[in-house]
Amino acid sequence: MTETDVRAAAPPPTRLRRLRRFAGRRLDAVSTGGWLFGLLFAALSLTPSLIPRAYIVQGVLCGCAFAAGYGIGVFLEWLWNFLELRWPNRKVARWVGRLCAALCLVLVVSFLWFWTGWQNSIRVLMGEAPLEATQPVLVALLAVPPALVLIGLGTLIVHGVRLVSRWLARLIPPRVALVGAMMLIGLLTAAIGDGVIVRGVLYAADRFYGDFDRLSGITTPPPIDPLKSGSAGSVIDWDTIGMDARVYVQSGPNAADIAALTGKPAQDPLRVYVGLRSADTPQARAEMALAEMDRIGAFERSVLVLIMPVGTGWVEPAAIDTLEILHGGDVASVAVQYSYLTSWLSLVSEPDVGVETARALFRSVYDRWRDMPETARPRLYLHGLSLGAYSSAASSTLYDILDDPFDGALWVGPPFASATWRSTTANRDADSPIWRPVIGDGSAVRFANRGADLADANNWGPLRIVYLQYPTDPIVFFEPSLLYREPAWLSGERAPSVSPLLNWYPVVTFLQLALDMALAQTTPTGFGHVYAPQDYLDGWIAVTGSEDWSAAELDNLRTRLTRHGDRTHIEGGWFRK
């Protein structure tokens, strides 16, 4: 009997066998490496990071992690074949791959089950309400759309490489054509991504935030007080400063508020703000700020602080109000806007956007301040939050001020990209952790995770610099090298506020922390990128001193400070009397 007769005599395959063959062919058509790494990355993305994630955010992260893992798996599988490597037994290799993918799928299901508990472990540390146990199902469903979109884009790129490779293969050897096609499509993709998509998104975001800055406070009348920026006597046009600037100019404690809160004599603080539309260049805006300071008598106050706002132009109320309360209103502060974009977006796209403005402001004010008699000039301080800390720290160098230094600086939530912060952290004492470095004898620079870390007021030199940073702040502790290397803040001694379940995984932790940066301001006060007024107060006490206050008075003041200020709460300030 021939082989054909045997096949003809065999019983027809059952429906189950046909379904199994169909599923086998479909599985063979899908990249085993892609599924293996995709499911593995999706599972690992469910582990905790610095910021607790809601189910919607976690679903998007899972989808992105799956797509990243799928792409890596497909590439490794292609590289295996390109190098003409072969498994000894293809059938065994196929089933081993399927088994590994199945185990990864089980891992995803298991991690989805544990995800709620992992997220709640972070929420408990931050005092937030726990998540519901049914949300892992929603996470899995929400992961599908971003994964399909990203894999679809990757597939288009692969098809482009194959198409160009076939064209080039007519002229050059096939493998050389393939490498050339990969380079050409890679350059084209990068050019489109950076030159068209990214720049287009940034341009649209800049236009949106710029229009919002221009229109949001258009109905707000200018201040009546002639000492306020934008008033009738001001050199700054009220229409050129946006909503965030108007919050800074019009809110905050006055002399009566401070006196009622502290029981001490007080005066009205002075605040100067120059908007991005107030003048055409950073130097012109700095000169306008100096002219406004001269007009209102800013150099006649005891304390003068140069503030670099965050990307949108926002000045944190808790930062400046605490300083004004501490010194009885005998404070003049000046801020100059340099961008419309929110800080994290500016940080990843144009981190140096505020440096030129910061240097122009510092040089203009510092030159005037240095020319004043030492006995008649105010104490000069620098301050910045987030991207403002980045710009403020870059506003001067040691060589510029060596002969006559300013008095100090309070830099809060310094971004990971800050060269000054990185250099200072790298020169810490060897036995101090990176999340709270110790610099020499602490006479010039100190790091703090909480205001209580600054309780020791001894051993300060003439220049006092304080870095206030929370260990759970991803703006501070994100690193591009997370893509391939474990960060120093995860090895050795770990900060108490960082989850002990947080581990480093290549690519995955990079994606987690990148998303954490966008969520950094969604945490409760005292975590993430939301700094508490009590910590601002202690930072200013360390930098400027508190000679007129007793320890009991300061403790009482700390207890009366409320939570972090809100953009929408302009009237009444953020402290209770």
Side-chain angles (χ1 to χ4, degrees):
M1 180 178 292
T2 65
E3 183 178 351
T4 303
D5 294 334
V6 171
R7 289 179 180 176
T14 63
R15 180 176 299 179
L16 180 61
R17 290 176 62 189
R18 289 197 299 269
L19 182 61
R20 189 173 61 186
R21 290 178 181 177
F22 175 80
R25 288 193 298 268
R26 293 298 91 197
L27 287 175
D28 290 339
V30 175
S31 169
T32 302
W35 275 99
L36 181 63
F37 279 88
L39 291 172
L40 179 62
F41 278 28
L44 295 177
S45 72
L46 293 162
T47 59
S49 57
L50 293 178
I51 304 295
R53 297 184 291 271
Y55 70 92
I56 296 177
V57 176
Q58 182 63 66
V60 173
L61 176 61
C62 273
C64 294
F66 178 87
Y70 188 87
I72 292 173
V74 169
F75 173 76
L76 292 177
E77 193 170 348
W78 169 85
L79 183 63
W80 177 275
N81 295 326
F82 182 79
L83 296 175
E84 297 184 351
L85 300 174
R86 295 290 183 268
W87 294 98
N89 189 312
R90 296 190 55 145
K91 186 175 181 180
V92 172
R94 182 167 59 250
W95 281 105
V96 168
R98 291 177 181 178
L99 178 61
C100 291
L103 291 176
C104 286
L105 181 59
V106 172
L107 187 67
V108 170
V109 174
S110 301
F111 278 27
L112 279 170
W113 178 263
F114 290 116
W115 175 76
T116 302
W118 287 335
Q119 294 300 311
N120 287 339
S121 68
I122 308 176
R123 291 174 176 273
V124 167
L125 291 175
M126 296 185 177
E128 287 193 308
L131 294 173
E132 297 179 5
T134 58
Q135 291 184 351
V137 178
L138 300 176
V139 170
L141 294 175
L142 289 169
V144 176
L148 291 178
V149 170
L150 293 175
I151 292 175
L153 291 175
T155 302
L156 287 177
I157 294 174
V158 170
H159 286 319
V161 169
R162 289 174 177 172
L163 180 62
V164 174
S165 177
R166 284 197 296 267
W167 288 346
L168 293 177
R170 301 172 184 175
L171 305 173
I172 55 179
R175 295 200 172 191
V176 179
L178 179 60
V179 174
M182 293 173 63
M183 294 175 62
L184 288 174
I185 294 299
L187 291 173
L188 179 62
T189 302
I192 293 175
D194 181 60
V196 178
I197 298 176
V198 174
R199 293 185 183 276
V201 169
L202 291 176
Y203 177 77
D206 187 68
R207 287 288 302 272
F208 170 79
Y209 283 109
D211 291 341
F212 183 77
D213 182 77
R214 183 182 298 106
L215 299 174
S216 57
I218 196 170
T219 59
T220 307
I224 300 175
D225 186 348
L227 296 180
K228 292 186 178 295
S229 298
S231 63
S234 174
V235 300
I236 303 165
D237 189 341
W238 181 248
D239 293 333
T240 64
I241 58 178
M243 182 188 69
D244 287 346
R246 297 180 182 192
V247 172
Y248 166 73
V249 170
Q250 293 187 307
S251 67
N254 56 30
D257 294 328
I258 297 173
L261 181 67
T262 64
K264 301 174 182 289
Q267 54 185 309
D268 290 331
L270 299 178
R271 296 185 176 188
V272 173
Y273 196 103
V274 181
L276 191 57
R277 299 189 308 275
S278 299
D280 294 332
T281 65
Q283 185 60 42
R285 290 190 284 272
E287 293 173 358
M288 181 176 287
L290 184 61
E292 182 76 352
M293 293 169 68
D294 287 335
R295 185 186 72 85
I296 64 175
F299 289 96
E300 299 172 9
R301 294 301 173 98
S302 298
V303 174
L304 175 61
V305 57
L306 307 184
I307 301 175
M308 290 307 296
V310 301
T312 60
W314 173 256
V315 176
E316 177 56 48
I320 184 60
D321 290 358
T322 50
L323 177 66
E324 293 169 344
I325 294 169
L326 181 65
H327 292 279
D330 192 12
V331 175
S333 59
V334 55
V336 179
Q337 187 180 14
Y338 54 87
S339 172
Y340 296 124
L341 295 177
T342 186
S343 283
W344 72 269
L345 193 56
S346 295
L347 182 61
V348 298
S349 60
E350 45 181 6
D352 292 326
V353 65
V355 172
E356 185 180 0
T357 298
R359 288 174 177 170
L361 177 64
F362 176 81
R363 180 50 57 186
S364 297
V365 175
Y366 177 77
D367 288 346
R368 171 68 60 81
W369 176 82
R370 186 179 56 184
D371 292 339
M372 298 175 66
E374 289 191 25
T375 56
R377 68 189 186 187
R379 289 178 288 164
L380 180 61
Y381 299 98
L382 308 184
H383 170 65
L385 166 67
S386 190
L387 193 61
Y390 177 105
S391 302
S392 179
S395 63
S396 66
T397 65
L398 179 64
Y399 305 106
D400 294 332
I401 63 168
L402 197 58
D403 62 329
D404 194 3
F406 56 88
D407 291 275
L410 176 60
W411 291 320
V412 181
F416 66 91
S418 171
T420 305
W421 175 82
R422 291 201 312 269
S423 175
T424 306
T425 302
N427 287 284
R428 69 189 184 277
D429 290 359
D431 58 347
S432 63
I434 192 172
W435 43 270
R436 192 188 167 190
V438 174
I439 309 299
D441 61 359
S443 61
V445 180
R446 297 183 186 181
F447 284 78
N449 300 145
R450 284 285 184 271
D453 297 339
L454 299 166
D456 183 10
N458 299 320
N459 199 35
W460 273 113
L463 175 64
R464 302 183 178 190
I465 295 177
V466 167
Y467 286 96
L468 176 60
Q469 56 189 35
Y470 290 158
T472 53
D473 189 348
I475 299 294
V476 179
F477 292 106
F478 175 84
E479 301 174 22
S481 61
L482 282 167
L483 198 64
Y484 57 87
R485 185 176 63 200
E486 182 179 12
W489 50 269
L490 274 182
S491 59
E493 182 183 359
R494 182 171 298 197
S497 56
V498 175
S499 172
L501 301 176
L502 170 57
N503 294 297
W504 174 79
Y505 306 104
V507 181
V508 176
T509 305
F510 173 88
L511 294 175
Q512 288 178 320
L513 268 291
L515 186 59
D516 282 350
M517 283 200 297
L519 302 173
Q521 293 184 339
T522 64
T523 63
T525 303
F527 299 92
H529 203 55
V530 185
Y531 288 84
Q534 290 85 353
D535 293 331
Y536 276 110
L537 176 65
D538 288 330
W540 284 123
I541 291 172
V543 172
T544 67
S546 57
E547 293 79 6
D548 298 332
W549 293 77
S550 67
E553 289 174 329
L554 289 174
D555 288 340
N556 180 58
L557 179 59
R558 291 187 187 96
T559 60
R560 301 184 70 181
L561 296 178
T562 64
R563 293 176 64 86
H564 176 268
D566 194 302
R567 289 173 184 263
T568 60
H569 186 55
I570 299 175
E571 300 297 331
W574 49 267
F575 54 89
R576 58 173 176 264
K577 301 174 184 178

